[in-house]
Amino acid sequence: MEEFPIIIVGAGASGLIAARELLRHGKKVIVLEARDRIGGRIHTVHENSYYVEAGAEFIHGELPLTIGLLREYHIGYRKIAGVMARIENGSVKKTDEFEGWGKLIETMKRLKKDMPLSDFLSKYFDEPKYDKLRAGVRRFAEGFDVADTKTVSTFALYEEWTQDDGEPQYRIEGGYEKLINVLSDDCKKMGCNINMSNIVKKIEWKKDLLKVFTQDEKEFTGSKIVVTVPMSILQSGAGNQAGIFFSPSIPALASVHGIGYGSVIKILLKFKEAIWEEKIKNAGFFFANEVVPTWWTQLPNQDCLLTGWLGGPKADELQQKKDDEILDITLRSLANIFQEDISTIQSYLIKANIFNWSKDPFALGAYSFPIIQTKESRKILNEPIDNTIFFSGEALYDGPSGGTVEAALTSGLETAKKIIRK
């Protein structure tokens, strides 16, 4: 029996699954969460008769841990529906592929040495006939992967873009908070204290003993600690609002800069009616060459809710703008896509929610993406420090489901098992 508890920093997916596993093996656990809510980058927001997902929304395929937990807790989930289309100059093309996509994937497959995506495109697809392909691939990498094409790994994108081809996509009925809430409830039933609004600022440590100090001068003593804060927080350093100072310092933390981390602005628009149906029947996802390029509906649910998504460097360009400015840019993008006057779009709008994750002090962005150094960096950061300090989270997951809740859950569970095995 340990004299002091295991301390987990962060009550997101990684922290809660780690806590649950440790508690199930008889460990004493306390969780320190900087926010006044659990979930981290999972955040279901309720708006009268409907809800919106401010952060994580989809389950990308038959992911074993996520799906397994939903079945264990009897939480419903549904397959998304609708066509996927591109809109160019008002013309709808019902395909998610760019012309030349097959050749792109084949060339990525034959690549012998990894390189950033921009370098890869410049080397192998620099001819004018590939102009649209290059632009489309860059938009896709920036949008879906929130990646900087100047640094993102081509090897990693190939692995991701080919492994889930044709896999079904799901949403959780009632929102991702359902999963977070049951994990939290399970932890509490096993005696875990989840302490909200506790911003960890300093960790003094030696082997098997540490003291944790919060911003409001609370002190917690533990035997081991699992740090699950987003990679952006570790990259930002101790001087940031949510940054953590380690004493003594940890040389391995230099490796955090070998992992990419992207931004996203998510805009959720509630309309009086599904104004997009006139342009795209049975619309699921649609893409356009606009400032806000990526959109999706709630099909098979018939909610008149439309989500706009702006990721990667393009989101960085707008991150300092006010919400009303971002909304104006979003509506102008939509007006251009539908070739309507912006006043017409506005006349149907009931409510807008804008979630600019780069401005969130406890996230500083969306999720990680792999750069050339990432595999080695993950290897270093996944090694416990003196079997006392453990790092965990979606950025440290090394597999095909990067940047997802599955990645966070898997990392948290593996971290807990490391502690249990020692």
Side-chain angles (χ1 to χ4, degrees), residues 7-216:
I7 298 173
I8 295 179
V9 182
S14 189
L16 291 175
I17 194 74
R20 189 186 79 149
E21 185 71 7
L22 291 166
L23 289 159
R24 286 182 168 185
H25 283 79
K27 306 294 185 182
K28 185 178 180 182
V29 178
I30 61 173
V31 177
L32 304 178
E33 168 55 49
R35 304 176 189 272
D36 59 2
R37 62 171 179 84
I38 60 174
R41 286 165 284 169
I42 293 174
H43 187 25
T44 305
V45 177
H46 292 268
E47 291 283 354
N48 297 322
S49 61
Y50 66 99
Y51 67 90
V52 297
E53 295 283 34
E57 182 169 348
F58 300 103
I59 302 169
H60 300 285
E62 300 288 346
L63 303 180
L65 188 47
T66 306
I67 298 294
L69 287 167
L70 295 177
R71 290 174 177 167
E72 176 184 346
Y73 289 112
H74 306 290
I75 299 171
Y77 59 98
R78 65 183 185 276
K79 188 183 296 186
I80 68 172
V83 300
M84 189 173 290
R86 282 186 296 119
I87 302 178
E88 296 179 1
N89 300 318
S91 176
V92 178
K93 298 184 178 182
K94 293 186 179 180
T95 174
D96 60 336
E97 290 190 358
F98 311 105
E99 187 175 349
W101 180 264
K103 182 175 182 179
L104 174 94
I105 294 298
E106 186 59 35
T107 307
M108 293 172 98
K109 181 180 179 180
R110 295 198 306 266
L111 193 64
K112 299 300 183 184
K113 184 179 179 181
D114 200 5
M115 63 178 66
L117 180 63
S118 282
D119 292 351
F120 169 79
L121 292 174
S122 296
K123 183 173 182 178
Y124 296 101
F125 294 90
D126 64 333
E127 298 174 58
K129 66 180 180 179
Y130 296 123
D131 286 353
K132 282 190 175 181
L133 175 66
R134 287 196 307 274
V137 169
R138 288 189 177 110
R139 284 198 303 270
F140 186 65
E142 290 175 350
F144 185 80
D145 296 280
V146 300
D148 183 344
T149 60
K150 294 183 180 68
T151 59
V152 66
S153 159
T154 299
F155 278 179
L157 290 179
Y158 171 76
E159 180 182 13
E160 177 197 322
W161 291 353
T162 56
Q163 68 90 26
D164 63 353
D165 188 34
E167 284 269 6
Q169 310 287 305
Y170 303 99
R171 286 188 181 92
I172 297 175
E173 294 177 357
Y176 249 114
E177 71 171 7
K178 290 284 190 73
L179 178 56
I180 288 297
N181 287 343
V182 293
L183 288 173
S184 173
D185 290 345
D186 235 4
C187 290
K188 290 175 182 176
K189 287 175 185 175
M190 290 184 281
C192 179
N193 289 322
I194 299 178
N195 299 272
M196 314 301 290
S197 301
N198 277 270
I199 303 173
V200 172
K201 295 303 298 177
K202 184 179 180 181
I203 299 172
E204 294 180 351
W205 68 280
K206 61 183 179 179
K207 185 173 173 56
D208 295 323
L209 181 65
L210 31 73
K211 289 183 182 294
V212 178
F213 301 89
T214 66
Q215 184 171 276
D216 57 358

Side-chain angles (χ1 to χ4, degrees), residues 16 41 124 130 227 229 248 268 277-278 300 326 341 365-366 393 407:
L16 291 175
R41 286 165 284 169
Y124 296 101
Y130 296 123
V227 179
V229 299
L268 296 111
E277 282 291 320
E278 186 175 335
I326 293 173
D341 190 88

